[in-house]
Amino acid sequence: MRNPALIAIVAATVACNQGGTTATAGSGSAGKPPAAAPAPPAAPPAPAPPATAPPATGKPLREALAEAVAGKPMLLALDAKGQLIARTPDGSSTSVLLPGPYGDALHDGALDLVWLRRDAGLDVLDLRLPAPAVAKALATAPDKALEKLGDHITEPPHWDMTKGVVINLGTPCSRATGLVLDWSKGGIGTTTGGEGVKVVAKDWFAAQEHRTRRDQPPGFTRKLTKPHKVPKGVGSCRADAKEELGKAECGHGLYFGATNYELVIVSANSEKCPAKQCRRYDGATKKYTPVPGIAADDLEGRTCGPFLFDGTGTSYLVDDQVCAGEACSSVGKQAIGWLDGERVLDAN
């Protein structure tokens, strides 16, 4: 005979369990808490402000650009499209000066000129003229001819009206080619490989032969008081010091701008390109670290310079990077210089 009390207890237990299962069914599994709601998608990064045209104030272009950003530092660069731009380091303000496209450029702060190499010639921008910016075509060339002579203008062109124009074009780890455009030949190139290059604006060179130079901030050339003993595992100076270049250069360097760091040569081998490699040294921690803006594994990186510092000596340009402290970002194709002039540091 069944016990009525026991039957009642069992029935109550079953009913309780069925209620629990029903309560958690929404979680997909009996007895488990509900799954957390998915996190909302991250907000997309704010778009960069659109590039603007230089302000047409009637003032020299260099002054107008500086005033437009209330005197903040401005750098000159070729962006990813090969356009010549002026922008603040953080990219909050950008002006497209010339559409290009250009493959290389060089800023001459003393003369307020930007020299620009295009596929088939050489242009110049005069920062002392008012906006809008206008490129002046100075020389024509067969397609890619200037690039074949050297992929970079290594120093500002110089000229006089009795002989001609000299344009130094170089490639990393090779001597610059001095392209001579001879007036006695009608401004045609006399350098091997440059015979097809020809001046098309002799009047411009004549008018600017005695152009006034503007004072420039001094470069950073202060050498370390004594060389460091480069530790094992940093660079290759342990082996390089056995050869002439390594013996003369290893452990030497320069104070790194107006920062608390030093730039120390940690490799010096004349059979490699580049012959020298540098690391940034922190005297407080006694540590060597890669120079921000250049990948640590880039064996062809220009780790010893040149670095183009701004007037404060704390922000600098190298290759396509603008760096402030540890933070670096790309400007596109090439960082050229600072609107008010660059303070060069080069341990090469």
Side-chain angles (χ1 to χ4, degrees), residues 117-192:
R117 193 203 72 222
R118 48 188 164 83
D119 286 347
L122 181 75
D123 292 351
V124 70
L125 174 64
D126 189 341
L127 294 172
R128 295 179 187 173
L129 295 180
V134 177
K136 178 70 175 178
L138 298 180
T140 58
D143 193 43
K144 307 289 186 179
L146 292 173
E147 184 177 351
K148 291 175 183 177
L149 290 171
D151 57 11
H152 182 58
I153 306 169
T154 59
E155 59 183 72
H158 58 275
W159 68 96
D160 65 55
M161 300 315 295
T162 63
K163 296 180 181 178
V165 183
V166 178
I167 306 169
N168 288 313
L169 300 161
T171 299
C173 302
S174 67
R175 296 184 64 181
T177 299
L179 172 61
V180 179
L181 305 176
D182 193 336
W183 297 135
S184 68
K185 306 291 184 181
I188 294 176
T190 57
T191 305
T192 301

Side-chain angles (χ1 to χ4, degrees), residues 7 22 49 73 89 98 106 176 196 208 232 281 322:
I7 292 173
T22 302
L98 297 172
L106 181 77
Q208 303 300 327
K232 183 179 181 180
Y281 177 73
V322 53

Side-chain angles (χ1 to χ4, degrees), residues 258-280:
T259 71
N260 293 322
Y261 296 101
E262 300 171 3
L263 188 68
V264 180
I265 298 169
V266 299
S267 298
N269 186 331
S270 59
E271 297 183 358
K272 293 184 177 181
C273 172
K276 300 178 189 177
Q277 289 286 349
C278 292
R279 290 291 182 269
R280 198 179 62 169

Side-chain angles (χ1 to χ4, degrees), residues 187-213:
I188 294 176
T190 57
T191 305
T192 301
E195 296 88 351
V197 184
K198 181 180 180 180
V199 171
V200 293
K202 185 176 180 179
D203 57 339
W204 184 90
F205 286 104
Q208 303 300 327
E209 183 178 13
H210 302 294
R211 187 180 176 94
T212 302
R213 301 182 67 84

Side-chain angles (χ1 to χ4, degrees), residues 7-341:
I7 292 173
I9 293 171
V10 172
T13 302
V14 172
C16 186
N17 285 341
Q18 287 176 339
T21 301
T22 302
T24 60
S27 67
S29 178
K32 293 184 179 181
T52 60
T57 63
K59 295 182 178 181
L61 183 58
R62 185 177 67 81
E63 294 180 19
L65 288 167
E67 288 183 2
V69 292
K72 293 180 182 177
M74 286 204 84
L75 62 92
L76 299 165
L78 295 182
D79 68 7
K81 297 178 181 179
Q83 300 179 119
L84 176 65
I85 62 172
R87 52 161 278 187
T88 52
D90 62 4
S92 60
S93 177
T94 300
S95 291
V96 175
L97 304 181
L98 297 172
Y102 294 105
D104 181 54
L106 181 77
H107 177 225
D108 184 347
L111 294 182
D112 288 320
L113 297 174
V114 182
W115 302 90
L116 301 135
R117 193 203 72 222
R118 48 188 164 83
D119 286 347
L122 181 75
D123 292 351
V124 70
L125 174 64
D126 189 341
L127 294 172
R128 295 179 187 173
L129 295 180
V134 177
K136 178 70 175 178
L138 298 180
T140 58
D143 193 43
K144 307 289 186 179
L146 292 173
E147 184 177 351
K148 291 175 183 177
L149 290 171
D151 57 11
H152 182 58
I153 306 169
T154 59
E155 59 183 72
H158 58 275
W159 68 96
D160 65 55
M161 300 315 295
T162 63
K163 296 180 181 178
V165 183
V166 178
I167 306 169
N168 288 313
L169 300 161
T171 299
C173 302
S174 67
R175 296 184 64 181
T177 299
L179 172 61
V180 179
L181 305 176
D182 193 336
W183 297 135
S184 68
K185 306 291 184 181
I188 294 176
T190 57
T191 305
T192 301
E195 296 88 351
V197 184
K198 181 180 180 180
V199 171
V200 293
K202 185 176 180 179
D203 57 339
W204 184 90
F205 286 104
Q208 303 300 327
E209 183 178 13
H210 302 294
R211 187 180 176 94
T212 302
R213 301 182 67 84
R214 186 167 60 87
D215 289 340
Q216 291 297 283
F220 289 106
T221 58
R222 183 185 169 205
K223 296 181 179 180
L224 304 182
T225 53
K226 62 179 181 179
H228 289 278
K229 183 178 181 180
V230 180
K232 183 179 181 180
V234 177
S236 58
C237 272
R238 283 295 181 96
D240 296 341
K242 299 175 183 178
E243 303 296 331
E244 183 177 353
L245 181 64
K247 187 182 297 183
E249 299 290 346
C250 278
H252 292 270
L254 301 170
Y255 289 95
F256 197 60
T259 71
N260 293 322
Y261 296 101
E262 300 171 3
L263 188 68
V264 180
I265 298 169
V266 299
S267 298
N269 186 331
S270 59
E271 297 183 358
K272 293 184 177 181
C273 172
K276 300 178 189 177
Q277 289 286 349
C278 292
R279 290 291 182 269
R280 198 179 62 169
Y281 177 73
D282 186 339
T285 62
K286 311 297 183 185
K287 290 183 178 180
Y288 291 84
T289 57
V291 182
I294 305 175
D297 59 353
D298 185 357
L299 300 180
E300 297 182 357
R302 300 187 299 169
T303 55
C304 292
F307 300 97
L308 307 180
F309 279 88
D310 67 357
T312 69
T314 56
S315 297
Y316 61 87
L317 311 175
V318 59
D319 297 331
D320 69 317
Q321 301 285 310
V322 53
C323 300
E326 304 299 312
C328 297
S329 60
S330 176
V331 299
K333 179 180 289 186
Q334 179 189 359
I336 300 169
W338 298 92
L339 194 63
D340 281 336

